[in-house]
Amino acid sequence: MNEIHRLGVLTAGGDCPGLNAVIRAVAKTALGKHDLEVMGIEDGFLGLIQNRIRPLNNESVSNILTLGGTILGANNKIAPRRYPVQVDGSVEFRDVTERCLEHIRFNHLDALVVIGGDGTMSVTSDFVRLGINCIGVPKTIDNDLYGTDVTFGFATAVSIATEALDRVHTTAASHHRAMIVEVMGRNAGWIALHSGIASGSDVILIPEIPYDIGVICDFVKTRSRRGKRFSLLCVSEGARPVGGNQVIQHLDSLSPDPVRLGGIGQKIADDIEAATGIETRTITLGHVQRGGTPVAQDRVLATEFGNKAIELLQAGERGRLVVMKGRTVTHIPLVDAENKQRLVPTDHPLLRAARDVGTCFGD
Ligand code: F6P
């Protein structure tokens, strides 16, 4: 077992409420309890490629528990195996993994704590196979990382989405409208499912259950006929009609995962208005769900995860992903999470509970 003296920590992928709480837990546990040195790598893997690495001390991680974003910076466009360089006015992609390994050696990093989502864990799996000791910490508002029941950031996103739905509920009721809130989540419907249930949304649309617009329009019309002259719809950005496609807002050609979803809420609003004559408005929440201070639950989870990462390193574990199973923080092989997503199973008990209280899923 190689002893750990100095470790690097980085936050890769999109930002997420709770990142700073993990950085704090990692650094404070490592510095205070185990007398390790901690180096902060800036802007995710980009900082490792460019050797932008700085020491973290108690001072630098003090007072950041409640802060949104990440004090280290993040990047969701760069992967070491696909680093964009300008050649004769056009972009070419190079594999700069070896440069990362040089910088790990140059900075005497005995281990890396990598905080990220599914894309990040796929990149990190490469480093694990190359013999670098990495511990992964699962982050994402989407809650779609394989192997863990929950990621930090999710609870905050759900709470923001729920508040938005609650707020538009009153306008929907007062103006007898259908109101749609489009929430994030990529290909997973967790945010829509949880915030839809929490807000009592009449219709919840998730990517895992393709919708039939006829079913939704009939549902909205029937409500209206029965005296409920408004409807609240919570729509995941990844929702799609039966036999149809997701709505792509733009393609980010530099990113290893180029698709950026967005716009399905407006499409459904147009369809409902055309078919029913009921005025229908859409709000797209977007990055509001990822910003600001984490809720208490995410601060607690982030602290547990960060602490566990250091305890695993101290116990001599290598290449592990910290996960939550039931109510226990435990760990699995990091490479198990490579190229996988945790979607909502169509027999999930929450779907049944929502259907039993009359929620329409468009199917
Ligand atoms: O994975 C988190 C997430 O916010 C998704 O819900 C969303 O689809 C995506 O990132 C947006 O990415 P970007 O910040 O690059 O627009």
Side-chain angles (χ1 to χ4, degrees):
M1 165 177 124
N2 296 338
E3 246 187 88
I4 310 285
H5 298 288
R6 179 188 269 200
L7 60 98
V9 56
L10 64 85
T11 50
D15 72 331
C16 169
L19 282 170
N20 285 321
V22 180
I23 296 168
R24 170 182 176 270
V26 163
K28 288 202 166 193
T29 308
L31 294 162
K33 183 173 174 194
H34 299 294
D35 206 20
L36 307 177
E37 286 180 72
V38 182
M39 306 294 283
I41 301 167
E42 295 175 358
D43 299 339
F45 286 104
L46 188 59
L48 196 56
I49 294 166
Q50 298 176 341
N51 200 23
R52 287 189 284 113
I53 299 176
R54 57 180 155 95
L56 295 182
N57 54 31
N58 276 312
E59 185 64 21
S60 42
V61 297
S62 167
N63 216 5
I64 64 169
L65 174 65
T66 61
L67 268 190
T70 160
I71 60 162
L72 293 175
N75 185 300
N76 64 356
K77 297 190 201 302
I78 302 295
R81 290 218 185 275
R82 202 174 171 280
Y83 183 60
V85 287
Q86 289 282 343
V87 180
D88 298 335
S90 59
V91 176
E92 284 184 9
F93 293 96
R94 301 267 158 81
D95 183 345
V96 293
T97 306
E98 187 50 45
R99 208 188 293 173
C100 295
L101 299 180
E102 268 168 38
H103 294 154
I104 290 171
R105 286 190 292 268
F106 177 81
N107 290 283
H108 304 287
L109 301 179
D110 304 310
L112 293 182
V113 174
V114 180
I115 311 167
D118 59 339
T120 302
M121 293 314 150
S122 298
V123 170
T124 310
S125 294
D126 280 344
F127 286 98
V128 171
R129 279 190 287 270
L130 288 165
I132 304 299
N133 188 5
C134 301
I135 301 291
V137 177
K139 160 241 75 159
T140 166
I141 62 164
D142 304 335
N143 202 31
D144 62 350
L145 191 68
Y146 175 86
T148 185
D149 292 350
V150 68
T151 53
F152 70 85
F154 174 62
T156 305
V158 168
S159 125
I160 293 167
T162 303
E163 185 183 346
L165 284 154
D166 288 349
R167 285 180 186 278
V168 302
H169 200 154
T170 55
T171 303
S174 307
H175 289 261
H176 318 301
R177 291 175 178 163
M179 296 287 281
I180 297 176
V181 175
E182 180 183 310
V183 300
M184 280 185 162
R186 288 197 308 171
N187 300 316
W190 295 109
I191 298 177
L193 182 60
H194 281 249
S195 58
I197 291 175
S199 60
S201 292
D202 306 299
V203 179
I204 301 174
L205 301 181
I206 62 174
E208 294 85 347
I209 305 177
Y211 68 83
D212 176 338
I213 192 67
V215 170
I216 299 169
C217 293
D218 285 349
F219 186 85
V220 169
K221 268 194 299 198
T222 306
R223 274 177 59 79
S224 195
R225 263 203 311 275
R226 289 186 180 154
K228 292 276 189 192
R229 293 172 57 210
F230 72 94
S231 290
L232 185 62
L233 294 86
C234 178
V235 174
S236 173
E237 63 178 1
R240 64 189 162 89
V242 177
N245 296 319
Q246 292 175 321
V247 177
I248 295 175
Q249 191 189 58
H250 73 275
L251 289 171
D252 187 337
S253 60
L254 288 185
S255 171
D257 182 8
V259 173
R260 295 294 180 272
L261 296 168
I264 188 68
Q266 190 55 51
K267 176 180 164 29
I268 293 169
D270 294 344
D271 291 347
I272 294 176
E273 206 163 288
T276 66
I278 295 170
E279 185 182 13
T280 308
R281 297 289 186 86
T282 304
I283 292 97
T284 303
L285 273 190
H287 294 85
V288 167
Q289 290 153 101
R290 258 170 45 186
T293 188
V295 296
Q297 190 182 330
D298 279 335
R299 297 178 199 178
V300 173
L301 188 60
T303 302
E304 281 186 285
F305 277 0
N307 175 262
K308 185 73 175 181
I310 298 304
E311 294 308 332
L312 287 176
L313 285 176
Q314 284 304 107
E317 296 285 356
R318 302 176 65 89
R320 309 298 293 181
L321 176 66
V322 178
V323 296
M324 178 69 98
K325 281 283 167 206
R327 292 183 191 277
T328 308
V329 178
T330 176
H331 51 106
I332 61 169
L334 192 148
V335 295
D336 284 4
E338 192 179 8
N339 297 324
K340 292 191 194 120
Q341 281 177 327
R342 193 178 75 94
L343 304 181
V344 178
T346 49
D347 60 352
H348 195 279
L350 268 184
L351 289 172
R352 200 184 52 240
R355 287 187 198 278
D356 286 353
V357 296
T359 310
C360 169
F361 284 89
D363 57 343

mmCIF file of all heavy atoms in Angstrom, residues 76 140-142 184-186 237 260 287 290, ligand 1:
data_model
loop_
_atom_site.group_PDB
_atom_site.id
_atom_site.type_symbol
_atom_site.label_atom_id
_atom_site.label_comp_id
_atom_site.label_asym_id
_atom_site.label_seq_id
_atom_site.Cartn_x
_atom_site.Cartn_y
_atom_site.Cartn_z
ATOM 1 N N ASN A 76 -16.887 21.883 -17.934
ATOM 2 C CA ASN A 76 -17.575 20.691 -18.445
ATOM 3 C C ASN A 76 -17.367 20.509 -19.946
ATOM 4 O O ASN A 76 -18.164 19.888 -20.625
ATOM 5 C CB ASN A 76 -19.068 20.686 -18.074
ATOM 6 C CG ASN A 76 -19.830 21.823 -18.718
ATOM 7 O OD1 ASN A 76 -19.243 22.674 -19.381
ATOM 8 N ND2 ASN A 76 -21.134 21.837 -18.547
ATOM 9 N N THR A 140 -24.054 15.857 -8.843
ATOM 10 C CA THR A 140 -24.868 16.343 -9.955
ATOM 11 C C THR A 140 -26.272 16.647 -9.457
ATOM 12 O O THR A 140 -26.841 15.887 -8.663
ATOM 13 C CB THR A 140 -24.972 15.365 -11.148
ATOM 14 O OG1 THR A 140 -26.033 15.801 -12.004
ATOM 15 C CG2 THR A 140 -25.273 13.932 -10.749
ATOM 16 N N ILE A 141 -26.822 17.755 -9.976
ATOM 17 C CA ILE A 141 -28.218 18.051 -9.647
ATOM 18 C C ILE A 141 -29.141 17.000 -10.275
ATOM 19 O O ILE A 141 -30.245 16.793 -9.818
ATOM 20 C CB ILE A 141 -28.655 19.459 -10.105
ATOM 21 C CG1 ILE A 141 -28.566 19.612 -11.623
ATOM 22 C CG2 ILE A 141 -27.879 20.533 -9.392
ATOM 23 C CD1 ILE A 141 -29.325 20.817 -12.167
ATOM 24 N N ASP A 142 -28.656 16.326 -11.340
ATOM 25 C CA ASP A 142 -29.525 15.404 -12.097
ATOM 26 C C ASP A 142 -29.811 14.105 -11.337
ATOM 27 O O ASP A 142 -30.735 13.380 -11.697
ATOM 28 C CB ASP A 142 -28.882 15.035 -13.438
ATOM 29 C CG ASP A 142 -28.544 16.250 -14.283
ATOM 30 O OD1 ASP A 142 -29.195 17.293 -14.103
ATOM 31 O OD2 ASP A 142 -27.626 16.150 -15.118
ATOM 32 N N MET A 184 -34.368 20.957 -15.332
ATOM 33 C CA MET A 184 -33.199 20.276 -15.892
ATOM 34 C C MET A 184 -33.222 18.780 -15.559
ATOM 35 O O MET A 184 -34.205 18.271 -15.016
ATOM 36 C CB MET A 184 -31.927 20.922 -15.359
ATOM 37 C CG MET A 184 -31.554 22.203 -16.074
ATOM 38 S SD MET A 184 -29.962 22.819 -15.458
ATOM 39 C CE MET A 184 -29.523 23.947 -16.762
ATOM 40 N N GLY A 185 -32.125 18.098 -15.851
ATOM 41 C CA GLY A 185 -32.031 16.671 -15.528
ATOM 42 C C GLY A 185 -31.444 15.815 -16.633
ATOM 43 O O GLY A 185 -31.290 14.613 -16.467
ATOM 44 N N ARG A 186 -31.195 16.435 -17.805
ATOM 45 C CA ARG A 186 -30.718 15.684 -18.983
ATOM 46 C C ARG A 186 -31.631 14.491 -19.282
ATOM 47 O O ARG A 186 -32.825 14.682 -19.364
ATOM 48 C CB ARG A 186 -29.269 15.225 -18.787
ATOM 49 C CG ARG A 186 -28.284 16.364 -18.863
ATOM 50 C CD ARG A 186 -26.894 15.859 -19.085
ATOM 51 N NE ARG A 186 -26.557 14.849 -18.095
ATOM 52 C CZ ARG A 186 -25.473 14.099 -18.137
ATOM 53 N NH1 ARG A 186 -24.633 14.221 -19.130
ATOM 54 N NH2 ARG A 186 -25.224 13.232 -17.182
ATOM 55 N N GLU A 237 -36.518 18.637 -19.082
ATOM 56 C CA GLU A 237 -35.939 19.108 -20.358
ATOM 57 C C GLU A 237 -35.701 17.955 -21.337
ATOM 58 O O GLU A 237 -35.615 18.159 -22.541
ATOM 59 C CB GLU A 237 -34.620 19.839 -20.103
ATOM 60 C CG GLU A 237 -33.531 18.957 -19.496
ATOM 61 C CD GLU A 237 -32.208 19.654 -19.273
ATOM 62 O OE1 GLU A 237 -32.075 20.844 -19.566
ATOM 63 O OE2 GLU A 237 -31.279 18.974 -18.781
ATOM 64 N N ARG A 260 -27.070 20.029 -25.561
ATOM 65 C CA ARG A 260 -27.678 20.819 -24.491
ATOM 66 C C ARG A 260 -29.173 20.856 -24.775
ATOM 67 O O ARG A 260 -29.603 21.375 -25.800
ATOM 68 C CB ARG A 260 -27.105 22.242 -24.449
ATOM 69 C CG ARG A 260 -25.626 22.296 -24.100
ATOM 70 C CD ARG A 260 -25.343 21.826 -22.672
ATOM 71 N NE ARG A 260 -23.925 21.880 -22.334
ATOM 72 C CZ ARG A 260 -23.048 20.900 -22.558
ATOM 73 N NH1 ARG A 260 -23.431 19.777 -23.123
ATOM 74 N NH2 ARG A 260 -21.777 21.044 -22.224
ATOM 75 N N HIS A 287 -30.342 27.371 -15.275
ATOM 76 C CA HIS A 287 -29.250 27.290 -14.292
ATOM 77 C C HIS A 287 -29.610 27.829 -12.915
ATOM 78 O O HIS A 287 -28.820 27.661 -11.979
ATOM 79 C CB HIS A 287 -28.015 28.006 -14.851
ATOM 80 C CG HIS A 287 -27.449 27.295 -16.051
ATOM 81 N ND1 HIS A 287 -27.938 27.511 -17.321
ATOM 82 C CD2 HIS A 287 -26.490 26.354 -16.155
ATOM 83 C CE1 HIS A 287 -27.286 26.730 -18.166
ATOM 84 N NE2 HIS A 287 -26.403 26.017 -17.496
ATOM 85 N N ARG A 290 -29.093 25.331 -10.378
ATOM 86 C CA ARG A 290 -27.734 24.914 -10.019
ATOM 87 C C ARG A 290 -27.019 25.944 -9.164
ATOM 88 O O ARG A 290 -25.920 25.691 -8.682
ATOM 89 C CB ARG A 290 -26.925 24.710 -11.298
ATOM 90 C CG ARG A 290 -26.785 23.287 -11.655
ATOM 91 C CD ARG A 290 -26.209 23.020 -12.999
ATOM 92 N NE ARG A 290 -25.057 23.763 -13.411
ATOM 93 C CZ ARG A 290 -24.550 23.674 -14.646
ATOM 94 N NH1 ARG A 290 -25.113 22.870 -15.524
ATOM 95 N NH2 ARG A 290 -23.498 24.361 -14.981
HETATM 96 O O1 F6P B 1 -25.763 17.957 -15.566
HETATM 97 C C1 F6P B 1 -26.219 19.138 -14.976
HETATM 98 C C2 F6P B 1 -26.929 20.000 -15.998
HETATM 99 O O2 F6P B 1 -27.377 21.180 -15.359
HETATM 100 C C3 F6P B 1 -28.088 19.312 -16.722
HETATM 101 O O3 F6P B 1 -29.249 19.220 -15.950
HETATM 102 C C4 F6P B 1 -28.219 20.181 -17.950
HETATM 103 O O4 F6P B 1 -28.806 19.478 -18.996
HETATM 104 C C5 F6P B 1 -26.770 20.529 -18.246
HETATM 105 O O5 F6P B 1 -26.049 20.359 -17.042
HETATM 106 C C6 F6P B 1 -26.570 21.929 -18.766
HETATM 107 O O6 F6P B 1 -25.234 22.098 -19.084
HETATM 108 P P1 F6P B 1 -24.573 23.525 -19.339
HETATM 109 O O7 F6P B 1 -24.332 24.174 -18.018
HETATM 110 O O8 F6P B 1 -23.291 23.221 -20.049
HETATM 111 O O9 F6P B 1 -25.528 24.310 -20.166
#
